[in-house]
Amino acid sequence: MATEGAGSRWARARMVIKVVELRLRFIVLMGATGLGFAYWDTLANRYDKWMRPKATGAVAAVSGIEYFCPMHPAVIRDEPGSCPACGMPLAKRQKGEKAPLAAGVLARVQLAPHRIHQAGIRTAEVAYEPITETFSTVGTVEYDERKVRQIASKVRGMARVEKLHVDFTGVEVAAGAPMAELYGAELYQGVRELLLAHQRAKAPAARSLLGEGNDLEKLAADKLGLMGVTAEQIRAIVRDGKADFTLPILAPIGGHVVRKDVVEGQYVSEGQSLFEVADLSTVWVKARVYEDQVGLVRVGQAVEATVPAYPGSVFAGKVAFIQPHLDPATRTVEVRYDLDNADHRLLPGFFATVTLRTPIAETPMFRGRIAKAGGDGPEAMTVASQKICPVTNAALGSMGKPIPTEVEGRTIWTCCGSCPPQIKAKPAKFLARLAPPPRDGVLSVPESAVIDTGTLRMVYVEAEPGVYEGRKVVLGPRSGDRFPVLEGLQPGETVVAAGAFLVDAESRLDPSTRPETNPTPADRSPETNPTPAAPADDHQHHRPAPRVAAEATSGRVNR
């Protein structure tokens, strides 16, 4: 009985242990299953890493190096090779390293098609077109200084105004018309000397220590000539033989008396002003141009004016003179042009609204660049004359030795091996960038495409579908709704004309898409900041850029 009781207790104990064991197995199985679901991605990644070739994985893990396409920054690989999009050799960098942007490129953004549609982004092609800058300023009508004469007394000593033929200001006189008559002691003495010398010269043996008798007559005539007596008046004095002579003051030109400084009976001295006469057949229009507009004005350009006295009438002419100095009080430069005024409609003192129209291509800032861009022509391009690659806009030599490419019978130089296929695919597009600009055309962009940061101006260029580069540009003065482009863009390139601020805001979401330091005002001109040459062994292209800001939603190429 005791043996049977002990066996039954042991059987019950084994059963309890079995039940506990089964329950523990179930709990462990459920826990393992839960952990498997929770860490499935980690386990899969570790399995993938374990299954990779050991040599490649070891190099990538130890060195931390990755390879990317400078032309397509979204293409990133762990192994060296070529870009599947453009065939360019992949560049090397440390993982997480911020690749420098090319000179002139401030940001790079890649957007998916649906993002472009949602943002309403529209583009426009950069091309040459004639642009005229029109501005108006205030002006005044004034006398033509070349046709103003001042009449003064030439009689020695004091002379009396015996008679005034012109007795009020404003009267019109003809050239040679008498204006007044003067009488003085010196004038009387000179006339007496002339008459005596003439009488002595008629004597048969008229000689003196001073020479022949007619020599004295000539000296007396010269003395009267210095007092303003004309040769005809001298002949009349000799013919009449009268010493009681009053000197008539004749008008030197025809015009209006604009000032009368004497009255009848007044005594005047030698050199004292009597009258001032101005010819109003031509007048000057003087306009005030502010210093920031002086570069738009040149001698010979068309100009026109309107005056309140004659609404609807336009007085056109050409710029005749630009003052060589600036008025420090008004910060303006005086610009003058001449107007015919045969009917005397325009009166000196009139206010005028002066309008100047200047073709931007004819301003000094563009004429210098057009002359510089003339070069040797596309048929005789050299590395020195071409200077830049027409595909990438990078300086020749910055990517290594320039590569010659034969296109339509011309030798074109490119910066690297990935450019010749693009030139041959679209020769017209890239050859247009090397052609000299037309005489009357300039590159221009819409005002809506320009982003002004205060220190520089930039536009977003569509480097390829969905990829936009923020590029710094140097612009001329705005004309209407467009800006002429001095530097930074090439004909045929496409800029964001609508939605530029949205693209710029997208680039600011990721600091890696923008330069580390803010550009300085000196960056406005690439002449002061030349493109640095890249090391030959890295073969950095002109468009190296980090990963884009919107890669999570733009469908970037995975590793």
Side-chain angles (χ1 to χ4, degrees), residues 25 73 388 549:
R25 287 180 180 179
I388 63 171

Side-chain angles (χ1 to χ4, degrees), residues 403-462:
I403 299 176
T405 304
E406 293 293 331
V407 181
E408 297 184 355
R410 306 170 182 173
T411 301
I412 306 300
W413 298 88
T414 58
C415 62
C416 64
S418 63
C419 297
Q422 300 183 54
I423 289 185
K424 293 181 178 180
K426 298 179 179 179
K429 173 182 177 181
F430 296 110
L431 289 178
R433 299 182 180 180
L434 300 177
R439 182 67 184 175
D440 59 346
V442 296
L443 289 179
S444 67
V445 293
E447 180 187 6
S448 58
V450 180
I451 297 175
D452 195 335
T453 66
T455 57
L456 56 82
R457 291 169 173 173
M458 62 182 292
V459 298
Y460 277 91
V461 180
E462 187 178 33

Side-chain angles (χ1 to χ4, degrees), residues 23-35:
R23 291 184 178 182
L24 288 175
R25 287 180 180 179
F26 179 76
I27 292 173
V28 171
L29 180 60
M30 292 300 293
T33 303
L35 291 174

Side-chain angles (χ1 to χ4, degrees), residues 340-392:
D340 291 330
N341 191 36
D343 53 2
H344 296 178
R345 295 177 68 197
L346 296 176
L347 305 182
F350 272 4
F351 279 111
T353 300
V354 181
T355 302
L356 297 101
R357 294 180 174 85
T358 306
I360 295 296
E362 296 181 6
T363 57
M365 68 181 84
F366 280 93
R367 285 206 307 269
R369 285 171 172 79
I370 290 174
K372 188 184 299 184
D376 303 323
E379 296 81 358
M381 280 291 181
T382 63
V383 175
S385 63
Q386 184 176 324
K387 297 181 182 178
I388 63 171
C389 174
V391 179
T392 63

Side-chain angles (χ1 to χ4, degrees), residues 63-148:
S63 63
I65 292 176
E66 64 183 6
Y67 299 86
F68 72 102
C69 176
M71 290 286 291
H72 303 84
V75 178
I76 302 173
R77 296 288 186 269
D78 288 329
E79 301 176 1
S82 300
C83 175
C86 64
M88 182 179 177
L90 298 179
K92 181 175 63 174
R93 70 181 179 193
Q94 293 290 331
K95 288 185 178 180
E97 178 185 354
K98 181 178 177 180
L101 295 174
V105 177
L106 306 179
R108 188 178 175 95
V109 178
Q110 182 174 351
L111 299 176
H114 72 277
R115 296 287 303 278
I116 297 175
H117 179 73
Q118 290 175 351
I121 296 174
R122 299 291 182 271
T123 59
E125 184 175 339
V126 181
Y128 290 107
E129 59 181 86
I131 297 180
T132 300
E133 174 67 14
T134 302
F135 66 95
S136 298
T137 185
V138 66
T140 55
V141 179
E142 299 187 12
Y143 297 111
D144 186 343
E145 295 177 2
R146 299 166 298 185
K147 296 185 177 181
V148 177

Side-chain angles (χ1 to χ4, degrees), residues 461-491:
V461 180
E462 187 178 33
E464 56 188 87
V467 179
Y468 305 100
E469 291 182 349
R471 190 180 301 173
K472 64 180 179 182
V473 291
V474 180
L475 305 177
R478 186 180 67 180
S479 178
D481 61 347
R482 302 189 72 83
F483 277 100
V485 180
L486 290 167
E487 297 175 7
L489 293 174
Q490 295 293 330

Side-chain angles (χ1 to χ4, degrees), residues 196-231:
L196 291 174
H198 178 68
Q199 292 176 359
R200 181 173 298 182
K202 291 191 300 183
R207 290 181 177 274
S208 68
L209 296 176
L210 298 176
E212 298 291 339
N214 57 358
D215 291 340
L216 294 177
E217 184 178 358
K218 290 179 181 179
L219 290 174
D222 291 342
K223 181 179 179 179
L224 290 176
L226 294 176
M227 295 186 190
V229 183
T230 63

